[in-house]
Amino acid sequence: MTTDTAGRADEAPLFGPEPQFRPLLDDPRWALAMIRATVLEAAHPQIGAALVDNSTFVAHPWRRLRNTFLSMRRMFDPDPAVREREATRLNRLHARLSGSDARGRAYDALDRPTRAWVVATLFESAVTMCRLSGQPLDQDTMERMYAQYRAFLAALGGDAGELPEDVGDFWRYFDRVVEDELENTEAARVILYHLFDHLPAPALLDSAPTLWAAGRAVAGPLLGAITVASLPSPYRRRAGLPEMPGAPALMQGAYVAAGLARFLPAGWINAESIIDVLSLRPGDDDPRARTVTALRARMKRASALLRLLAPPGGDADPDPAPPAAPGEGRRSAEEFFRQVLDQTGDGHLDWPDLAAMARELSTRLDLDEPEETRLYDAFAAWWRELQAALDTDGDGRVSAEEYAAAVPSLAGPALIRVAEVLFDATDKDGSGTIDTDEYRTLFRTAFHRDLAATGGAYGRSAFVGDFLSFMTGRRTSAPYDPLLADA
């Protein structure tokens, strides 16, 4: 860190006495701006390739949203130790993401210019968000915000010098990257034309697939049109994105309407609470779960009414219904492959899918080294075991058909090792059992087992047995489904 901005990143508070972008986390306009920024990121060849190969944003978008929001909260925390720890965790995560795209071009998530582009899209989208909602930033505010974004890049371990020092020069940098480097990548197309149209329901709405599908059929195309209209026109031309009549007016109206939230009383909109509620399930010990249960009952009735009104033979319920009971039940090999094993949603099982599992578990448990590496190593050993047992055609990945033909062979020594390492990582105090607090950290819910019979703890053998039963696809599991199967 050699620049003045980078030097300020070591001071507390990181972003100055009046941070310009921390309040954006609870601003409804930020949801639209974040979608736009994500498309601009995905249009970069390196980022797009990394997303397609490694990200769970297609199969598990709500989980990805929750983890991203949690990470941003930590990076904006006033405590320097919290920020440093999160930056270190993110760097470890990105150090594991490298490879090559379909054209043989290498990508590396720690590439400094690429990381700078991610921060650049966030700043530019924040400025554009304010402009489109009729509240443009004055020059002084824009300059302060830009300095804080450069400090944010430095705090992440990047080089603030990768972004121009002056905000005026930034716009020339941004236009150059849009003109010369962005492409119509597969990841950008997925976000614009697949994700919105096929977005799975969050836990709150997964019992009402018809209602969710009906709402998604309306909201999906609208979000896509709004996002496309908000993108820089040079990129729209290069990528061949459609110019839909009325889309600019629709985009402007959406941003202005979202901007009206500034007139609501302070604290009425809290993004963290909204995300938490969307993740709740009936039976959770959170006090809001009772309200969620009542809402789900009403949604089921609304969904049933829509089915009655739907024309015969229509595809009004495209999503498979979840198990009738939230506890135990059996699932088909195809369901387990799609819901749990194929974390990236590409139709195959390979190392990025198991790496995504390790990443999610490490995030939930907030692991440091060396526990995080032990968990990744255990999943890597399981992948080698799966590949040897199931990859019959030798293409380096496992198809749904190959998996279904050899389900009984999954519970080998490597999977048992994964369960044991996960148990050790969860058992923070090394007591040999998982107590109620440790259980909540992993499963984000209370300990629902018979406390009188278990002595208020979850033993190693019981944990390993339950984990193996879940990971071999033999049965659904009320705690383990939210861990790895939820969208």
Side-chain angles (χ1 to χ4, degrees), residues 20 139 178 234 245 248 253 304 442:
Q20 301 296 310
Q139 187 65 26
V178 170
L442 179 61

Side-chain angles (χ1 to χ4, degrees), residues 423-424 427-435 438 457-461 463:
F423 179 89
D424 291 338
D427 178 22
K428 294 288 189 181
D429 60 7
S431 64
T433 59
I434 295 175
D435 62 27
E438 292 165 343
Y458 195 7
R460 176 183 291 269
S461 61
F463 179 91

Side-chain angles (χ1 to χ4, degrees), residues 280 284-292:
L280 289 176
D284 284 355
D285 63 322
D286 190 299
R288 295 169 294 184
R290 290 188 293 271
T291 302
V292 170

Side-chain angles (χ1 to χ4, degrees), residues 12 39 77 90-91 137 169 182 189 271-272 285 317 320 367 439 449 474 478 486:
V39 173
D77 194 280
L90 289 173
N91 287 332
L137 300 176
D169 294 332
L182 299 194
R189 294 194 300 271
E272 189 168 9
D285 63 322
D317 191 6
L367 297 182
Y439 189 95
R449 300 174 71 86
R474 289 198 293 268
D486 267 5

Side-chain angles (χ1 to χ4, degrees), residues 235-463:
Y235 177 70
R236 293 204 307 270
R237 289 194 300 271
R238 288 189 62 196
L241 300 180
E243 300 283 349
M244 298 180 59
L250 175 66
M251 170 198 65
Q252 191 86 41
Y255 275 94
V256 170
L260 295 177
R262 69 185 185 278
F263 297 112
L264 294 174
W268 273 37
I269 298 179
N270 184 284
E272 189 168 9
S273 296
I274 294 172
I275 294 171
D276 285 343
V277 168
L278 289 173
S279 303
L280 289 176
R281 287 172 165 266
D284 284 355
D285 63 322
D286 190 299
R288 295 169 294 184
R290 290 188 293 271
T291 302
V292 170
T293 301
L295 284 173
R296 288 167 70 99
R298 292 180 180 272
M299 291 171 187
K300 285 183 179 180
R301 289 196 289 271
S303 183
L305 177 61
L306 283 176
R307 282 196 296 270
L308 289 175
L309 296 176
D315 189 19
D317 191 6
D319 299 319
E328 305 298 336
R330 298 194 64 83
R331 54 155 53 99
S332 69
E334 186 277 332
E335 286 176 322
F336 183 75
F337 187 91
R338 175 174 51 83
Q339 295 173 0
V340 179
L341 293 180
D342 184 14
Q343 291 282 305
T344 59
D346 63 357
H348 293 86
L349 171 64
D350 52 12
W351 167 239
D353 296 303
L354 271 67
M357 295 181 195
R359 187 163 62 243
E360 170 62 17
L361 295 170
S362 298
T363 299
R364 285 200 175 215
L365 296 173
D366 197 17
L367 297 182
D368 285 325
E369 290 284 15
E371 288 82 5
E372 181 183 286
T373 297
R374 289 182 64 218
L375 189 61
Y376 270 89
D377 289 346
F379 271 98
W382 186 38
W383 166 237
R384 291 191 293 271
E385 186 177 83
L386 287 174
Q387 194 175 23
L390 305 182
D391 182 18
T392 56
D393 60 7
D395 65 351
R397 56 186 185 176
V398 177
S399 67
E401 293 76 17
E402 289 173 327
Y403 164 77
V407 171
S409 67
L410 288 182
L415 181 58
I416 296 173
R417 177 60 179 163
V418 170
E420 292 174 339
V421 171
L422 180 58
F423 179 89
D424 291 338
T426 307
D427 178 22
K428 294 288 189 181
D429 60 7
S431 64
T433 59
I434 295 175
D435 62 27
T436 54
D437 291 336
E438 292 165 343
Y439 189 95
R440 183 188 294 276
T441 299
L442 179 61
F443 294 111
R444 292 178 180 156
T445 189
F447 194 90
H448 291 304
R449 300 174 71 86
D450 184 350
L451 299 186
T454 63
Y458 195 7
R460 176 183 291 269
S461 61
F463 179 91

